Amino acid sequence: MPQSYPPEPGPSMPAGPARRRRRLTDEETGRRMLDTALAMVHRDGLTVGLDHLGFEDVIRDAGVSRAAVYRRWPYKDLFFGDLLRELAGGAAPASAPALETTREVLGSVLAARAGDLATPEGRHDVITELLRVTAVSDFEAVHGSAEWRTYLALQATFLSLSEGALRADVQAALARSEQRFVERVAHGWEAVATALGYRPRPGTGGGFPLIATLACAAMRGLVLMALPEPGLLDRRVPANPTGASAAADWSLLGLAAAGLAVTYLEPDPDVTWDDARLAALTGSGLTRARTEPGS
């Protein structure tokens, strides 16, 4: 998290022992400037480019010496290049809902459907309901996320960069951020599917990383479409995409998630549903699963 720094003493401030501070190193000046600019972006969002950030405003808010800043970055474009690298390195392509919120959703579904876990048909209905319910909360969380909009703008800014070291650095950092996020989503799918006795379907070519990649793409596409058309957030389709025991009203993201589940997952024949497994699942197992958007 960006830190809050006390201002460096200026010429008009008392210079006595009580007010004297050591001079910041070049590295400390740079860290303060970048942290302050990151805080501004996270507060106000990122436009396509960084023109909305004033270099002098960053210097003022960072509480550092102008002379030290210009020694480190003789031109402000050099600073904004380093800021883009920082943003790309810490960016996430979408904002995850709070883990506690996800646990509450999962726990409420299990509490309402605990009796269904004893049969294959019941477990199918439970995982169907989890897909349907979590998709709604995930879609709303990501659509309202300032971090996601910053990531979208960052990608557009990257596309406008000229070929060179800065573009290559930002591209590599974005790729690493994307991979980290997909890995978290894959972990979420695996945790829930495994807890309910499902596995990747043999012959489909899709393990949990592929499922997560497709889930992220569906999430991002729908959130992007919903920016100019927010009605997509509330759109529901009466459907039964998984062949559950009953139809229900599905969000668009829920339909996409259900399609992935039907294509790539199947009940694991090696799982034995005995009393111990049922007790462990209804007691705590699934509610502790770490999940992310798209799960």
Side-chain angles (χ1 to χ4, degrees):
M1 292 289 294
Q3 302 179 30
S4 177
Y5 300 106
E8 216 180 16
S12 61
M13 299 178 67
R19 301 297 299 179
R20 184 173 297 132
R21 300 177 188 270
R22 67 178 179 83
R23 184 182 298 276
L24 296 176
T25 67
D26 180 64
E27 184 63 27
E28 289 170 331
T29 296
R31 189 68 264 157
R32 284 197 183 194
M33 284 288 290
L34 290 169
D35 282 349
T36 300
L38 287 170
M40 289 177 168
V41 170
H42 293 325
R43 180 192 67 206
D44 302 327
L46 178 69
T47 61
V48 178
L50 293 165
D51 294 340
H52 64 301
L53 282 182
F55 191 46
E56 294 294 330
D57 293 336
V58 178
I59 295 174
R60 180 197 64 226
D61 289 0
V64 295
S65 161
R66 291 182 75 256
V69 169
Y70 279 99
R71 279 197 302 271
R72 183 176 180 87
W73 293 291
Y75 306 100
K76 67 178 182 180
D77 287 349
L78 297 176
F79 169 73
F80 287 128
D82 283 349
L83 178 57
L84 281 176
R85 291 181 175 93
E86 290 275 322
L87 284 167
S95 176
L99 181 57
E100 287 303 319
T101 300
T102 303
R103 284 176 175 167
E104 290 173 7
V105 172
L106 298 179
S108 66
V109 171
L110 281 179
R113 302 238 179 186
D116 295 337
L117 295 172
T119 66
E121 295 79 9
R123 290 191 290 274
H124 183 73
D125 284 352
V126 169
I127 200 167
T128 294
E129 184 65 4
L130 285 172
L131 288 167
R132 190 181 74 86
V133 174
T134 56
V136 174
S137 58
D138 290 350
F139 195 12
E140 291 173 348
V142 175
H143 181 267
S145 163
E147 290 86 355
W148 186 88
R149 296 177 192 227
T150 292
Y151 184 82
L152 179 65
L154 186 58
Q155 287 187 317
T157 299
F158 156 71
L159 292 174
S160 69
L161 295 175
S162 301
E163 293 291 340
L166 175 59
R167 181 185 174 93
D169 289 348
V170 171
Q171 182 178 20
L174 286 174
R176 289 191 297 270
S177 294
E178 189 83 36
Q179 183 59 35
R180 288 195 302 269
F181 187 77
V182 169
E183 288 172 356
R184 293 198 302 272
V185 175
H187 178 84
W189 273 83
E190 184 174 9
V192 174
T194 302
L196 286 171
Y198 280 74
R199 70 175 186 182
R201 190 186 303 276
T204 60
F208 290 109
L210 176 58
I211 294 172
T213 299
L214 296 174
C216 290
M219 168 73 83
R220 188 171 315 170
L222 284 168
V223 173
L224 181 59
M225 292 173 65
L227 291 177
E229 190 180 349
L232 292 178
L233 278 172
D234 301 319
R235 184 175 175 183
R236 299 293 182 268
V237 179
N240 189 358
T242 68
S245 60
D249 289 338
W250 285 76
S251 67
L252 298 184
L253 183 62
L255 289 173
L260 290 173
V262 168
T263 300
Y264 291 110
L265 298 179
E266 68 173 12
D268 189 341
D270 295 328
V271 171
T272 300
W273 283 94
D274 54 18
D275 291 343
R277 183 180 180 90
L278 287 171
L281 180 58
T282 56
S284 62
L286 185 55
T287 59
R288 291 180 181 173
R290 180 184 175 207
T291 56
E292 302 289 345
S295 62

